[in-house]
Amino acid sequence: MMQEEANEATSVLSVYGHTIKVTEVLQDGDTLTFIIVSQKLSGTGEYHVDRTYEDFEWLQQHLYAQEDVPGLQGVIFPPLPVRPQVNASAKVMKQLGFLGLGEWQPYCKALETFLRQVAAHSILRKNKTVEVFLTSTDPPGRQKLRRNIFNRLSQAVEGLWKEGHKDVDEFFHTERDHNLVLTGHTRTAAEKFLDVVLTEQKIAVACGHFAAALHICVENGEDPEKKAFSRVCVKLSEVFDSIKKNMTSIAVNDMNTLGLALDLDSRYLEAEKEMLFRRTCKLVELENARKNAERAKPVKKNAMEEVKKAAEGEFEQICKVAKQEIVQLNQERVEMLQKNLIQWCEQQLQTAKEGADAYNQHLQAFIAMA
């Protein structure tokens, strides 16, 4: 909490970053509008704004496109989730993963995390567009934005060959290797855990169908055997309804704790990969500038030397920011996963206890019927 207070004290925002919440999503046809609430730094109330996904893209593009911020390309930008879609295709749902479950509540949580990370970032929160996004009642980004190659730069076909360029710094060379391994493992873990949650949801639905189907067997009449059979069917229906509720709670717990943590971890590793690639591109530019300065004819020597010095200064600043970002990300990744693993265990333990109590009551009811 002391760290949060220190961050707020040095922030240029007029809101407490850790109070930002995406409280709900409104649907109008194929358009989703997200309601964002944050507490005013003055303590006199809250800001309530509504934003579409295009607004989030507008904010992200402005964060990418800051030209007067030294070392910006060394920043690991908080990852914005992929675009949500109403009645999305199977391919889009696969891309959304956990964020496509739970009637958009997980997606709202992911957007909330994105905004909190931006508001907490020592460099990004200083951009005036962050303040506009969080406090202005007017929609900031409904206009069409020009795409910047800085966004998703690692996907630029003409630059893919640079990814394997030999690094001059052992720290970054090792980090690139670690990122490659961790990105694959984390993505696989998230996909496998998503399969678990989807299976739990299917089991819950099946139990609900079976609980409803058992009522079809209930018959009216005075026949003692039919009455006894009907009572058993009703009780069994209650049991399977309890199983449905318990399995639903387990799936929700999985999704809201470890599921969202693995999703965020995977997207952050991709963001780190993009940053490392941007730095590698700058390294290639620097090496080319040095070669050009060495080979330059006397008439162009001074100009090439200035280009080289500028490239060296820019690259040094990027490396400085990048090292700080990597150290901080690795620390926060461990803390986040630890926190969510604990929450996962605590919530599942609570759900298990509630389920055991319910099943015990059903058992006692069956014993009384014997």
Side-chain angles (χ1 to χ4, degrees), residues 184-321:
H185 288 334
T186 304
R187 185 187 302 115
T188 300
E191 290 173 352
K192 296 297 183 184
F193 197 62
L194 177 60
D195 288 340
V196 171
V197 175
L198 290 173
T199 301
E200 291 167 345
Q201 290 182 335
K202 290 176 182 177
I203 292 174
V205 171
C207 288
H209 289 330
F210 189 53
L214 283 168
H215 281 277
I216 299 176
C217 301
V218 175
E219 296 185 38
N220 297 320
E222 297 300 324
D223 188 314
E225 291 185 358
K226 289 184 178 180
K227 290 177 66 176
F229 180 73
S230 294
R231 287 200 302 272
V232 170
C233 288
V234 170
K235 292 306 297 182
L236 276 176
S237 177
E238 293 175 359
V239 171
F240 276 93
D241 189 60
S242 292
I243 296 174
K244 171 194 171 184
K245 293 177 180 177
N246 183 259
M247 192 60 66
T248 300
S249 295
I250 290 173
V252 170
N253 293 342
D254 285 346
M255 178 178 62
N256 289 334
T257 55
L258 189 55
L260 289 182
L262 288 172
D263 171 82
L264 180 61
D265 194 33
S266 179
R267 289 188 288 113
Y268 249 114
L269 286 170
E270 290 289 348
E272 183 193 24
K273 179 182 178 182
E274 293 184 2
M275 182 278 289
L276 291 169
F277 179 70
R278 293 194 298 268
R279 179 191 165 277
T280 301
C281 290
K282 286 297 178 182
L283 173 59
V284 173
E285 290 181 17
L286 173 59
E287 291 175 349
N288 290 336
R290 286 171 173 169
K291 291 177 183 178
N292 291 336
E294 291 174 2
R295 299 170 182 172
K297 295 179 180 180
V299 67
K300 293 184 177 180
K301 191 72 173 177
N302 290 338
M304 291 295 99
E305 284 292 334
E306 289 299 320
V307 171
K308 184 190 76 170
K309 289 180 181 179
E312 287 174 340
E314 184 181 9
F315 184 70
E316 182 180 347
Q317 189 65 40
I318 290 173
C319 291
K320 179 181 178 181
V321 172

Side-chain angles (χ1 to χ4, degrees), residues 6-274:
N7 289 342
E8 303 293 356
T10 58
S11 174
V12 297
L13 300 177
S14 60
V15 305
Y16 287 103
H18 65 278
T19 68
I20 297 172
K21 293 182 179 180
V22 180
T23 57
E24 61 180 312
V25 57
L26 306 177
Q27 182 178 340
D28 182 11
D30 292 337
T31 301
L32 297 173
T33 302
F34 302 92
I35 308 302
I36 303 168
V37 178
S38 54
Q39 184 179 338
K40 295 181 179 180
L41 206 60
S42 61
T44 57
E46 297 176 332
Y47 286 106
H48 291 247
V49 298
D50 60 280
R51 299 288 182 254
T52 65
Y53 188 80
E54 287 74 19
D55 296 329
F56 280 90
E57 286 185 318
W58 172 86
L59 173 61
Q60 186 186 51
Q61 287 296 323
H62 277 280
L63 295 178
Y64 282 150
Q66 302 176 83
E67 298 180 354
D68 56 345
V69 178
L72 181 70
Q73 296 190 49
V75 170
I76 301 174
F77 289 89
L80 182 64
V82 298
R83 177 185 294 272
Q85 292 185 26
V86 180
N87 301 320
S89 65
K91 182 179 179 180
V92 173
M93 289 304 296
K94 184 177 181 180
Q95 291 178 326
L96 286 170
F98 285 100
L99 305 188
L101 304 177
E103 298 181 353
W104 297 115
Q105 287 92 339
Y107 196 89
C108 289
K109 186 66 177 177
L111 290 179
E112 178 182 299
T113 300
F114 167 76
L115 291 176
R116 289 189 178 194
Q117 292 290 341
V118 170
H121 198 282
S122 58
I123 295 176
L124 301 181
R125 70 183 177 211
K126 296 177 182 178
N127 189 301
K128 63 181 181 180
T129 58
V130 181
E131 171 76 7
V132 171
F133 185 92
L134 293 171
T135 63
S136 175
T137 55
D138 297 325
R142 304 290 158 87
Q143 69 273 23
K144 189 74 174 178
L145 281 171
R146 180 178 61 86
R147 291 291 176 181
N148 192 317
I149 195 172
F150 194 42
N151 185 12
R152 311 289 302 177
L153 186 59
S154 61
Q155 294 183 1
V157 177
E158 67 274 13
L160 289 178
W161 65 271
K162 296 179 183 178
E163 286 188 333
H165 187 80
K166 183 174 176 59
D167 210 298
V168 295
D169 189 316
E170 186 64 26
F171 174 85
F172 287 104
H173 179 78
T174 301
E175 189 64 25
R176 279 165 57 178
D177 290 342
H178 286 172
N179 176 270
L180 180 63
V181 174
L182 282 173
T183 298
H185 288 334
T186 304
R187 185 187 302 115
T188 300
E191 290 173 352
K192 296 297 183 184
F193 197 62
L194 177 60
D195 288 340
V196 171
V197 175
L198 290 173
T199 301
E200 291 167 345
Q201 290 182 335
K202 290 176 182 177
I203 292 174
V205 171
C207 288
H209 289 330
F210 189 53
L214 283 168
H215 281 277
I216 299 176
C217 301
V218 175
E219 296 185 38
N220 297 320
E222 297 300 324
D223 188 314
E225 291 185 358
K226 289 184 178 180
K227 290 177 66 176
F229 180 73
S230 294
R231 287 200 302 272
V232 170
C233 288
V234 170
K235 292 306 297 182
L236 276 176
S237 177
E238 293 175 359
V239 171
F240 276 93
D241 189 60
S242 292
I243 296 174
K244 171 194 171 184
K245 293 177 180 177
N246 183 259
M247 192 60 66
T248 300
S249 295
I250 290 173
V252 170
N253 293 342
D254 285 346
M255 178 178 62
N256 289 334
T257 55
L258 189 55
L260 289 182
L262 288 172
D263 171 82
L264 180 61
D265 194 33
S266 179
R267 289 188 288 113
Y268 249 114
L269 286 170
E270 290 289 348
E272 183 193 24
K273 179 182 178 182
E274 293 184 2

